[in-house]
Coordinates of all heavy atoms in Angstrom, one line a residue:
M1 N 122.2 33.8 -85.4 CA 121.2 33.0 -86.0 C 120.9 33.4 -87.4 O 120.6 32.6 -88.3 CB 120.0 33.0 -85.1 CG 118.9 32.1 -85.6 SD 119.4 30.4 -85.6 CE 117.9 29.6 -85.3
S2 N 120.9 34.7 -87.7 CA 120.6 35.2 -89.0 C 121.6 34.8 -90.0 O 121.2 34.6 -91.2 CB 120.4 36.7 -89.0 OG 121.7 37.3 -88.7
R3 N 122.8 34.6 -89.7 CA 123.8 34.1 -90.6 C 123.5 32.7 -91.1 O 123.6 32.3 -92.2 CB 125.2 34.1 -90.0 CG 125.9 35.4 -90.0 CD 127.2 35.4 -89.4 NE 128.2 34.9 -90.4 CZ 129.5 34.9 -90.2 NH1 130.0 35.3 -89.1 NH2 130.3 34.4 -91.1
V4 N 123.0 31.8 -90.1 CA 122.7 30.5 -90.4 C 121.5 30.4 -91.4 O 121.4 29.7 -92.4 CB 122.4 29.7 -89.1 CG1 121.8 28.3 -89.5 CG2 123.7 29.5 -88.3
L5 N 120.4 31.2 -91.0 CA 119.2 31.3 -91.9 C 119.6 31.9 -93.2 O 119.1 31.4 -94.3 CB 118.2 32.1 -91.2 CG 117.5 31.5 -89.9 CD1 116.5 32.5 -89.3 CD2 116.9 30.2 -90.3
N6 N 120.4 32.9 -93.3 CA 120.8 33.5 -94.5 C 121.5 32.4 -95.4 O 121.2 32.3 -96.6 CB 121.8 34.6 -94.3 CG 122.1 35.4 -95.5 OD1 121.2 35.5 -96.4 ND2 123.3 35.9 -95.6
W7 N 122.4 31.6 -94.8 CA 123.1 30.6 -95.6 C 122.1 29.5 -96.0 O 122.2 29.0 -97.1 CB 124.2 30.0 -94.6 CG 124.8 28.7 -95.2 CD1 125.8 28.7 -96.1 CD2 124.5 27.4 -94.9 NE1 126.1 27.4 -96.4 CE2 125.3 26.6 -95.7 CE3 123.5 26.8 -94.1 CZ2 125.2 25.2 -95.7 CZ3 123.4 25.4 -94.1 CH2 124.3 24.6 -94.8
F8 N 121.2 29.1 -95.2 CA 120.3 28.0 -95.4 C 119.3 28.4 -96.6 O 119.0 27.5 -97.4 CB 119.5 27.7 -94.2 CG 118.8 26.4 -94.2 CD1 119.5 25.2 -94.2 CD2 117.4 26.3 -94.2 CE1 118.9 24.0 -94.3 CE2 116.8 25.1 -94.2 CZ 117.5 23.9 -94.2
F9 N 118.8 29.6 -96.7 CA 117.8 30.0 -97.6 C 118.3 30.8 -98.8 O 117.6 31.1 -99.8 CB 116.7 30.8 -97.0 CG 115.9 30.0 -96.0 CD1 116.0 30.1 -94.6 CD2 115.0 29.0 -96.5 CE1 115.3 29.4 -93.8 CE2 114.3 28.2 -95.6 CZ 114.4 28.4 -94.2
R10 N 119.6 31.2 -98.8 CA 120.1 32.1 -99.9 C 120.3 31.3 -101.2 O 121.0 30.2 -101.2 CB 121.4 32.7 -99.4 CG 122.1 33.7 -100.4 CD 121.5 35.0 -100.5 NE 121.2 35.7 -99.2 CZ 120.5 36.7 -99.1 NH1 119.8 37.3 -100.1 NH2 120.3 37.3 -97.9
N11 N 119.8 31.7 -102.3 CA 119.9 31.1 -103.6 C 121.4 31.3 -104.0 O 121.9 32.4 -104.1 CB 119.0 31.7 -104.6 CG 119.0 31.1 -105.9 OD1 120.0 30.7 -106.5 ND2 117.8 30.9 -106.5
R12 N 122.1 30.2 -104.3 CA 123.5 30.3 -104.7 C 123.7 31.0 -106.1 O 124.7 31.5 -106.4 CB 124.2 29.0 -104.7 CG 124.1 28.2 -103.3 CD 124.7 29.1 -102.2 NE 124.8 28.4 -101.0 CZ 124.0 28.5 -99.9 NH1 122.9 29.3 -100.0 NH2 124.1 27.8 -98.8
A13 N 122.7 30.9 -106.9 CA 122.8 31.5 -108.3 C 122.5 33.0 -108.3 O 123.2 33.8 -109.0 CB 121.9 30.7 -109.3
T14 N 121.4 33.4 -107.6 CA 120.9 34.8 -107.7 C 121.2 35.6 -106.5 O 121.2 36.8 -106.6 CB 119.4 34.8 -107.9 OG1 118.8 34.3 -106.8 CG2 119.0 34.0 -109.2
G15 N 121.5 35.0 -105.4 CA 121.8 35.7 -104.2 C 120.5 36.1 -103.4 O 120.6 36.7 -102.4
E16 N 119.3 35.7 -104.0 CA 118.1 36.1 -103.3 C 117.7 34.9 -102.4 O 118.2 33.8 -102.5 CB 117.0 36.2 -104.4 CG 117.2 37.4 -105.3 CD 116.2 37.5 -106.4 OE1 115.3 36.6 -106.5 OE2 116.2 38.5 -107.1
I17 N 116.8 35.2 -101.5 CA 116.2 34.2 -100.6 C 115.2 33.4 -101.4 O 114.3 33.9 -102.0 CB 115.5 34.8 -99.4 CG1 116.5 35.6 -98.5 CG2 114.8 33.8 -98.5 CD1 117.6 34.8 -97.9
T18 N 115.4 32.1 -101.4 CA 114.5 31.2 -102.2 C 113.9 30.1 -101.2 O 114.7 29.3 -100.7 CB 115.2 30.5 -103.3 OG1 115.8 31.5 -104.2 CG2 114.3 29.6 -104.1
I19 N 112.6 30.1 -101.0 CA 112.0 29.1 -100.2 C 111.1 28.2 -101.1 O 111.2 27.0 -101.1 CB 111.1 29.8 -99.1 CG1 112.0 30.5 -98.1 CG2 110.2 28.7 -98.4 CD1 111.3 31.4 -97.1
A20 N 110.4 28.9 -102.1 CA 109.6 28.1 -103.1 C 110.0 28.8 -104.4 O 110.4 29.9 -104.5 CB 108.2 28.3 -102.8
Q21 N 109.8 28.0 -105.5 CA 110.0 28.5 -106.8 C 109.1 27.9 -107.8 O 108.3 27.0 -107.5 CB 111.5 28.3 -107.2 CG 111.9 26.8 -107.2 CD 113.4 26.6 -107.3 OE1 114.2 27.3 -106.6 NE2 113.9 25.7 -108.1
M22 N 109.1 28.3 -109.0 CA 108.3 27.8 -110.1 C 108.5 26.3 -110.3 O 109.7 25.9 -110.3 CB 108.5 28.6 -111.4 CG 107.6 28.2 -112.5 SD 106.0 28.7 -112.0 CE 105.5 29.5 -113.5
P23 N 107.5 25.5 -110.3 CA 107.7 24.0 -110.5 C 108.4 23.7 -111.8 O 108.3 24.3 -112.8 CB 106.3 23.5 -110.5 CG 105.4 24.5 -109.9 CD 106.1 25.8 -110.2
N24 N 109.3 22.6 -111.6 CA 109.9 22.1 -112.8 C 109.0 21.1 -113.5 O 107.9 20.8 -112.9 CB 111.3 21.5 -112.4 CG 111.2 20.4 -111.4 OD1 110.1 19.8 -111.2 ND2 112.3 20.0 -110.8
P25 N 109.4 20.5 -114.6 CA 108.5 19.6 -115.4 C 108.0 18.4 -114.5 O 106.8 18.0 -114.6 CB 109.3 19.2 -116.6 CG 110.2 20.3 -116.8 CD 110.6 20.9 -115.5
A26 N 108.9 17.8 -113.7 CA 108.5 16.7 -112.9 C 107.4 17.1 -111.9 O 106.4 16.3 -111.7 CB 109.7 16.1 -112.2
L27 N 107.5 18.2 -111.3 CA 106.5 18.7 -110.4 C 105.2 19.0 -111.1 O 104.1 18.8 -110.5 CB 107.0 19.8 -109.5 CG 106.2 20.1 -108.2 CD1 106.1 18.8 -107.4 CD2 106.9 21.2 -107.4
W28 N 105.3 19.6 -112.3 CA 104.0 19.8 -113.0 C 103.3 18.5 -113.3 O 102.1 18.5 -113.2 CB 104.3 20.6 -114.4 CG 104.5 22.0 -114.2 CD1 105.7 22.7 -114.5 CD2 103.6 23.0 -113.8 NE1 105.5 24.1 -114.2 CE2 104.2 24.2 -113.8 CE3 102.2 22.9 -113.4 CZ2 103.5 25.4 -113.4 CZ3 101.6 24.0 -113.0 CH2 102.2 25.3 -113.0
I29 N 104.0 17.5 -113.6 CA 103.4 16.2 -113.9 C 102.7 15.7 -112.6 O 101.5 15.2 -112.6 CB 104.4 15.1 -114.4 CG1 104.8 15.5 -115.8 CG2 103.9 13.7 -114.3 CD1 106.0 14.7 -116.3
V30 N 103.3 15.9 -111.5 CA 102.8 15.5 -110.2 C 101.5 16.3 -109.9 O 100.4 15.8 -109.5 CB 103.8 15.7 -109.0 CG1 103.1 15.6 -107.7 CG2 104.9 14.7 -109.1
L31 N 101.6 17.6 -110.1 CA 100.4 18.5 -109.8 C 99.2 18.1 -110.8 O 98.1 18.1 -110.3 CB 100.8 19.9 -110.0 CG 101.8 20.5 -109.0 CD1 102.3 21.9 -109.3 CD2 101.2 20.4 -107.6
V32 N 99.5 17.9 -112.0 CA 98.4 17.5 -113.0 C 97.9 16.2 -112.6 O 96.6 16.0 -112.6 CB 99.0 17.5 -114.4 CG1 98.0 16.9 -115.4 CG2 99.3 19.0 -114.9
G33 N 98.7 15.2 -112.2 CA 98.3 13.9 -111.8 C 97.4 14.0 -110.6 O 96.3 13.3 -110.5
I34 N 97.7 14.8 -109.6 CA 96.9 15.0 -108.4 C 95.6 15.6 -108.8 O 94.5 15.2 -108.3 CB 97.7 15.8 -107.4 CG1 98.8 15.0 -106.8 CG2 96.7 16.3 -106.3 CD1 99.8 15.8 -105.9
L35 N 95.6 16.6 -109.6 CA 94.4 17.3 -110.1 C 93.5 16.3 -110.8 O 92.2 16.3 -110.5 CB 94.7 18.5 -110.9 CG 93.6 19.4 -111.3 CD1 92.9 20.0 -110.1 CD2 94.0 20.4 -112.3
V36 N 94.0 15.5 -111.7 CA 93.2 14.6 -112.5 C 92.6 13.5 -111.5 O 91.4 13.2 -111.6 CB 94.0 13.9 -113.6 CG1 93.3 12.6 -114.1 CG2 94.4 14.8 -114.7
G37 N 93.4 13.0 -110.6 CA 92.8 12.1 -109.6 C 91.8 12.7 -108.7 O 90.8 12.0 -108.3
W38 N 91.9 14.0 -108.4 CA 91.0 14.6 -107.5 C 89.7 14.9 -108.2 O 88.6 14.7 -107.6 CB 91.6 15.9 -107.1 CG 90.8 16.7 -106.1 CD1 90.4 16.3 -104.8 CD2 90.3 18.0 -106.2 NE1 89.7 17.3 -104.2 CE2 89.6 18.4 -105.1 CE3 90.4 19.0 -107.3 CZ2 89.0 19.6 -104.9 CZ3 89.8 20.2 -107.1 CH2 89.1 20.5 -105.9
I39 N 89.7 15.2 -109.5 CA 88.5 15.5 -110.3 C 87.9 14.2 -110.8 O 86.6 14.0 -110.7 CB 88.8 16.4 -111.5 CG1 89.2 17.8 -110.9 CG2 87.7 16.5 -112.4 CD1 89.8 18.7 -112.0
W40 N 88.7 13.3 -111.3 CA 88.1 12.1 -112.0 C 87.9 10.9 -111.1 O 87.0 10.1 -111.4 CB 89.1 11.8 -113.1 CG 88.7 10.7 -114.0 CD1 87.4 10.3 -114.3 CD2 89.5 9.8 -114.8 NE1 87.4 9.3 -115.2 CE2 88.7 9.0 -115.5 CE3 90.9 9.7 -114.9 CZ2 89.2 8.0 -116.4 CZ3 91.4 8.8 -115.8 CH2 90.6 8.0 -116.5
H41 N 88.6 10.7 -110.1 CA 88.6 9.6 -109.2 C 88.6 8.3 -109.9 O 87.7 7.4 -109.8 CB 87.3 9.6 -108.3 CG 87.1 10.8 -107.5 ND1 87.9 11.2 -106.4 CD2 86.2 11.9 -107.6 CE1 87.5 12.3 -105.9 NE2 86.5 12.7 -106.6
P42 N 89.7 8.0 -110.7 CA 89.7 6.8 -111.5 C 89.8 5.5 -110.6 O 90.5 5.6 -109.5 CB 91.0 6.9 -112.3 CG 91.8 7.9 -111.6 CD 90.9 8.8 -110.8
A43 N 89.2 4.5 -111.0 CA 89.2 3.3 -110.2 C 90.0 2.2 -110.9 O 90.4 2.4 -112.1 CB 87.7 2.7 -110.0
G44 N 90.3 1.2 -110.2 CA 91.0 0.0 -110.8 C 92.4 0.3 -111.2 O 93.2 1.1 -110.6
Q45 N 92.8 -0.3 -112.3 CA 94.2 -0.1 -112.9 C 94.5 1.3 -113.2 O 95.6 1.7 -113.0 CB 94.4 -1.1 -114.1 CG 95.8 -1.2 -114.6 CD 96.7 -1.8 -113.5 OE1 96.4 -2.7 -112.8 NE2 97.9 -1.2 -113.4
T46 N 93.6 2.0 -113.8 CA 93.8 3.4 -114.1 C 94.2 4.3 -112.9 O 95.1 5.1 -112.9 CB 92.6 4.0 -114.8 OG1 92.2 3.2 -116.0 CG2 92.9 5.4 -115.3
G47 N 93.5 4.1 -111.8 CA 93.8 4.8 -110.6 C 95.2 4.4 -110.0 O 95.9 5.3 -109.6
R48 N 95.5 3.1 -110.1 CA 96.8 2.7 -109.6 C 97.9 3.3 -110.5 O 99.0 3.7 -110.0 CB 96.9 1.2 -109.6 CG 96.1 0.6 -108.4 CD 96.4 -0.9 -108.3 NE 95.9 -1.7 -109.4 CZ 94.6 -2.1 -109.5 NH1 93.7 -1.8 -108.6 NH2 94.3 -2.9 -110.5
N49 N 97.7 3.3 -111.8 CA 98.7 3.9 -112.7 C 98.9 5.4 -112.5 O 100.0 5.9 -112.5 CB 98.3 3.7 -114.2 CG 98.4 2.2 -114.6 OD1 99.0 1.4 -114.0 ND2 97.7 1.9 -115.7
L50 N 97.8 6.1 -112.2 CA 97.9 7.5 -111.9 C 98.6 7.7 -110.6 O 99.5 8.6 -110.5 CB 96.5 8.1 -111.8 CG 96.4 9.6 -111.6 CD1 97.1 10.3 -112.8 CD2 95.0 10.1 -111.5
D51 N 98.4 6.9 -109.6 CA 99.1 6.9 -108.3 C 100.6 6.7 -108.5 O 101.4 7.4 -107.9 CB 98.6 5.9 -107.3 CG 97.2 6.3 -106.7 OD1 96.8 7.5 -106.9 OD2 96.6 5.4 -106.1
C52 N 100.9 5.7 -109.4 CA 102.3 5.4 -109.7 C 103.0 6.6 -110.4 O 104.2 7.0 -110.1 CB 102.5 4.2 -110.5 SG 102.2 2.7 -109.6
L53 N 102.3 7.2 -111.3 CA 102.8 8.4 -112.0 C 103.1 9.5 -111.0 O 104.1 10.2 -111.1 CB 101.8 8.9 -113.1 CG 102.2 10.1 -113.8 CD1 103.3 9.8 -114.8 CD2 101.0 10.7 -114.6
V54 N 102.2 9.8 -110.1 CA 102.4 10.9 -109.1 C 103.6 10.5 -108.2 O 104.4 11.4 -108.0 CB 101.1 11.1 -108.3 CG1 101.4 12.0 -107.1 CG2 100.0 11.7 -109.1
K55 N 103.7 9.3 -107.8 CA 104.8 8.9 -106.9 C 106.1 9.0 -107.6 O 107.1 9.5 -107.1 CB 104.6 7.5 -106.3 CG 103.5 7.5 -105.2 CD 103.4 6.2 -104.5 CE 102.4 6.2 -103.4 NZ 102.8 7.1 -102.3
A56 N 106.1 8.5 -108.9 CA 107.4 8.6 -109.7 C 107.8 10.0 -109.9 O 109.0 10.3 -109.9 CB 107.2 7.8 -111.0
G57 N 106.8 10.8 -110.2 CA 107.1 12.3 -110.4 C 107.7 12.9 -109.2 O 108.6 13.7 -109.3
L58 N 107.1 12.6 -108.0 CA 107.7 13.1 -106.8 C 109.1 12.6 -106.5 O 109.9 13.4 -106.0 CB 106.8 12.7 -105.6 CG 105.6 13.6 -105.3 CD1 104.7 13.0 -104.3 CD2 106.0 15.0 -105.0
V59 N 109.4 11.3 -106.8 CA 110.7 10.8 -106.6 C 111.7 11.5 -107.6 O 112.8 11.9 -107.1 CB 110.8 9.3 -106.9 CG1 112.2 8.8 -107.0 CG2 110.0 8.6 -105.7
V60 N 111.3 11.7 -108.8 CA 112.2 12.5 -109.8 C 112.4 13.9 -109.3 O 113.5 14.4 -109.3 CB 111.6 12.4 -111.2 CG1 112.3 13.4 -112.1 CG2 111.6 11.0 -111.7
W61 N 111.3 14.6 -108.9 CA 111.5 15.9 -108.4 C 112.4 16.0 -107.2 O 113.2 16.9 -107.1 CB 110.1 16.5 -108.1 CG 110.2 17.8 -107.4 CD1 110.3 19.0 -108.0 CD2 110.2 18.1 -106.0 NE1 110.4 20.0 -107.0 CE2 110.3 19.5 -105.8 CE3 110.1 17.3 -104.9 CZ2 110.4 20.1 -104.5 CZ3 110.1 17.9 -103.6 CH2 110.2 19.3 -103.5
A62 N 112.1 15.1 -106.2 CA 112.9 15.1 -105.0 C 114.4 14.8 -105.2 O 115.3 15.5 -104.7 CB 112.4 14.0 -104.0
F63 N 114.7 13.9 -106.1 CA 116.1 13.6 -106.4 C 116.7 14.8 -107.1 O 117.9 15.2 -106.8 CB 116.2 12.4 -107.3 CG 117.6 12.0 -107.6 CD1 118.4 11.3 -106.7 CD2 118.2 12.3 -108.9 CE1 119.7 11.0 -106.9 CE2 119.5 11.9 -109.1 CZ 120.2 11.3 -108.2
D64 N 116.0 15.5 -108.0 CA 116.5 16.7 -108.7 C 116.8 17.8 -107.7 O 117.8 18.4 -107.8 CB 115.5 17.1 -109.7 CG 116.0 18.3 -110.6 OD1 117.2 18.2 -111.0 OD2 115.2 19.2 -110.8
E65 N 115.9 18.0 -106.7 CA 116.1 19.0 -105.7 C 117.3 18.6 -104.8 O 118.1 19.5 -104.4 CB 114.9 19.2 -104.8 CG 113.8 19.9 -105.5 CD 114.1 21.4 -105.8 OE1 115.0 22.0 -105.1 OE2 113.6 21.9 -106.7
L66 N 117.4 17.3 -104.5 CA 118.6 16.9 -103.7 C 119.9 17.1 -104.4 O 120.9 17.6 -103.7 CB 118.4 15.4 -103.4 CG 119.5 14.8 -102.5 CD1 119.5 15.4 -101.1 CD2 119.2 13.3 -102.4
V67 N 119.9 16.9 -105.7 CA 121.2 17.1 -106.4 C 121.4 18.5 -106.9 O 122.5 19.0 -106.8 CB 121.2 16.1 -107.6 CG1 122.4 16.4 -108.5 CG2 121.1 14.7 -107.2
R68 N 120.4 19.2 -107.4 CA 120.6 20.5 -108.0 C 119.8 21.6 -107.2 O 119.7 22.7 -107.8 CB 120.0 20.5 -109.4 CG 120.8 19.5 -110.3 CD 120.3 19.6 -111.8 NE 118.9 19.7 -111.9 CZ 118.3 20.6 -112.8 NH1 119.1 21.3 -113.6 NH2 117.0 20.6 -112.9
G69 N 119.4 21.4 -106.0 CA 118.7 22.5 -105.3 C 119.5 23.7 -105.2 O 120.7 23.7 -105.0
V70 N 118.9 24.9 -105.2 CA 119.6 26.2 -105.2 C 120.1 26.6 -103.9 O 120.9 27.5 -103.8 CB 118.7 27.3 -105.8 CG1 118.3 27.0 -107.2 CG2 117.5 27.5 -104.9
N71 N 119.7 25.9 -102.8 CA 120.2 26.2 -101.5 C 120.0 25.0 -100.6 O 119.3 24.0 -101.0 CB 119.5 27.5 -100.9 CG 118.0 27.4 -100.8 OD1 117.5 26.3 -100.7 ND2 117.3 28.5 -100.9
P72 N 120.6 25.0 -99.4 CA 120.4 23.8 -98.5 C 118.9 23.5 -98.2 O 118.6 22.4 -98.0 CB 121.2 24.3 -97.3 CG 122.3 25.2 -97.8 CD 121.6 25.9 -98.9
W73 N 118.1 24.6 -98.1 CA 116.7 24.3 -97.8 C 116.1 23.5 -98.9 O 115.4 22.5 -98.6 CB 115.9 25.7 -97.7 CG 114.5 25.5 -97.9 CD1 113.8 26.0 -98.9 CD2 113.5 24.9 -97.0 NE1 112.4 25.7 -98.8 CE2 112.3 25.0 -97.6 CE3 113.6 24.1 -95.9 CZ2 111.1 24.4 -97.1 CZ3 112.5 23.6 -95.3 CH2 111.2 23.7 -95.9
R74 N 116.3 23.8 -100.1 CA 115.7 23.0 -101.2 C 116.3 21.6 -101.2 O 115.6 20.6 -101.5 CB 116.0 23.7 -102.6 CG 115.4 25.1 -102.7 CD 113.9 25.2 -102.7 NE 113.4 24.5 -103.8 CZ 112.1 24.3 -104.1 NH1 111.2 24.9 -103.3 NH2 111.7 23.7 -105.2
R75 N 117.6 21.4 -100.9 CA 118.2 20.1 -100.9 C 117.6 19.3 -99.7 O 117.3 18.1 -99.9 CB 119.7 20.2 -100.8 CG 120.3 20.8 -102.0 CD 121.8 20.8 -101.9 NE 122.3 21.6 -103.0 CZ 123.0 22.7 -102.9 NH1 123.2 23.2 -101.7 NH2 123.4 23.4 -104.0
C76 N 117.4 19.9 -98.6 CA 116.8 19.2 -97.5 C 115.3 18.8 -97.8 O 114.9 17.7 -97.4 CB 116.8 20.0 -96.2 SG 118.4 20.2 -95.5
L77 N 114.6 19.7 -98.4 CA 113.2 19.4 -98.8 C 113.2 18.2 -99.8 O 112.4 17.3 -99.6 CB 112.6 20.6 -99.5 CG 111.1 20.6 -99.9 CD1 110.3 20.3 -98.7 CD2 110.7 21.9 -100.6
G78 N 114.1 18.2 -100.8 CA 114.2 17.1 -101.7 C 114.5 15.8 -101.0 O 113.9 14.7 -101.2
A79 N 115.5 15.8 -100.0 CA 115.8 14.6 -99.3 C 114.7 14.1 -98.4 O 114.4 12.9 -98.4 CB 117.0 15.0 -98.3
A80 N 113.9 15.0 -97.8 CA 112.8 14.6 -97.0 C 111.7 13.9 -97.8 O 111.2 12.9 -97.4 CB 112.2 15.8 -96.2
V81 N 111.4 14.5 -99.0 CA 110.4 13.9 -99.8 C 110.8 12.6 -100.4 O 110.1 11.6 -100.4 CB 110.0 14.9 -101.0 CG1 109.1 14.2 -102.0 CG2 109.3 16.1 -100.4
L82 N 112.1 12.5 -100.8 CA 112.7 11.3 -101.3 C 112.6 10.2 -100.2 O 112.2 9.0 -100.5 CB 114.1 11.5 -101.8 CG 114.7 10.3 -102.5 CD1 113.9 10.0 -103.8 CD2 116.2 10.7 -102.9
I83 N 113.0 10.5 -99.0 CA 113.0 9.5 -97.9 C 111.5 9.0 -97.7 O 111.3 7.8 -97.5 CB 113.6 10.1 -96.6 CG1 115.1 10.2 -96.8 CG2 113.3 9.2 -95.4 CD1 115.8 11.0 -95.8
Y84 N 110.6 10.0 -97.7 CA 109.2 9.6 -97.4 C 108.7 8.7 -98.5 O 108.0 7.7 -98.3 CB 108.4 10.9 -97.3 CG 106.9 10.6 -97.3 CD1 106.3 10.2 -96.0 CD2 106.1 10.6 -98.4 CE1 105.0 9.9 -95.9 CE2 104.7 10.3 -98.3 CZ 104.2 9.9 -97.1 OH 102.9 9.6 -97.0
E85 N 108.9 9.1 -99.8 CA 108.4 8.3 -100.9 C 109.0 6.9 -100.9 O 108.4 5.9 -101.2 CB 108.6 9.0 -102.2 CG 107.7 10.2 -102.4 CD 106.3 9.9 -102.4 OE1 105.9 8.8 -102.9 OE2 105.5 10.7 -101.9
I86 N 110.3 6.8 -100.6 CA 111.0 5.4 -100.6 C 110.4 4.6 -99.5 O 110.1 3.4 -99.6 CB 112.5 5.6 -100.5 CG1 113.0 6.1 -101.9 CG2 113.1 4.3 -100.2 CD1 114.5 6.5 -101.9
R87 N 110.2 5.3 -98.3 CA 109.6 4.6 -97.2 C 108.2 4.1 -97.4 O 107.7 3.1 -96.9 CB 109.7 5.5 -96.0 CG 109.5 4.7 -94.6 CD 109.2 5.6 -93.5 NE 107.7 5.5 -93.3 CZ 106.8 6.5 -93.4 NH1 107.2 7.7 -93.7 NH2 105.6 6.3 -93.2
D88 N 107.5 4.9 -98.2 CA 106.1 4.6 -98.5 C 105.9 3.6 -99.6 O 104.7 3.2 -99.8 CB 105.4 6.0 -98.9 CG 103.9 5.9 -98.9 OD1 103.4 5.3 -97.9 OD2 103.3 6.4 -99.8
L89 N 106.9 3.1 -100.2 CA 106.7 2.1 -101.3 C 106.2 0.8 -100.8 O 106.3 0.1 -100.0 CB 108.1 1.8 -102.0 CG 108.5 2.9 -102.9 CD1 109.9 2.6 -103.5 CD2 107.5 3.2 -104.1

């Protein structure tokens, strides 16, 4: 079992175990959008635009993880978020 887990979580570039990592620009946009929505609670068109920005950022992040994830765990995480966001449209 440890060989499977090692393969699943091992970073292909550094050889270290990678479960989470520093957010990329798309994920920073998502995090800022969520924070702005949480603090400001925009209504109407502004709120819908902010929701679209967050969802678009998540789709970009998920696709990037699916294509360029450093290990199978990150690729599966990207695929799961991408499937969820597409289903949620």
Side-chain angles (χ1 to χ4, degrees):
M1 183 62 150
S2 65
R3 280 180 81 173
V4 172
L5 291 176
N6 189 34
W7 171 82
F8 196 66
F9 292 108
R10 182 76 50 194
N11 185 320
R12 301 305 188 259
T14 66
E16 297 177 352
I17 298 295
T18 302
I19 295 172
Q21 59 193 46
M22 187 65 133
N24 61 15
L27 197 54
W28 278 117
I29 291 171
V30 170
L31 294 173
V32 168
I34 289 170
L35 185 63
V36 166
W38 185 60
I39 292 171
W40 186 26
H41 304 291
Q45 188 63 38
T46 304
R48 286 189 294 276
N49 289 344
L50 187 59
D51 287 344
C52 285
L53 177 70
V54 168
K55 287 188 178 293
L58 276 174
V59 167
V60 169
W61 173 82
F63 184 76
D64 185 43
E65 285 295 333
L66 181 62
V67 173
R68 297 184 320 137
V70 297
N71 58 27
W73 159 248
R74 301 292 298 181
R75 291 185 190 115
C76 288
L77 184 61
V81 171
L82 189 60
I83 289 167
Y84 174 81
E85 288 300 324
I86 289 172
R87 196 196 102 241
D88 197 41
L89 286 177

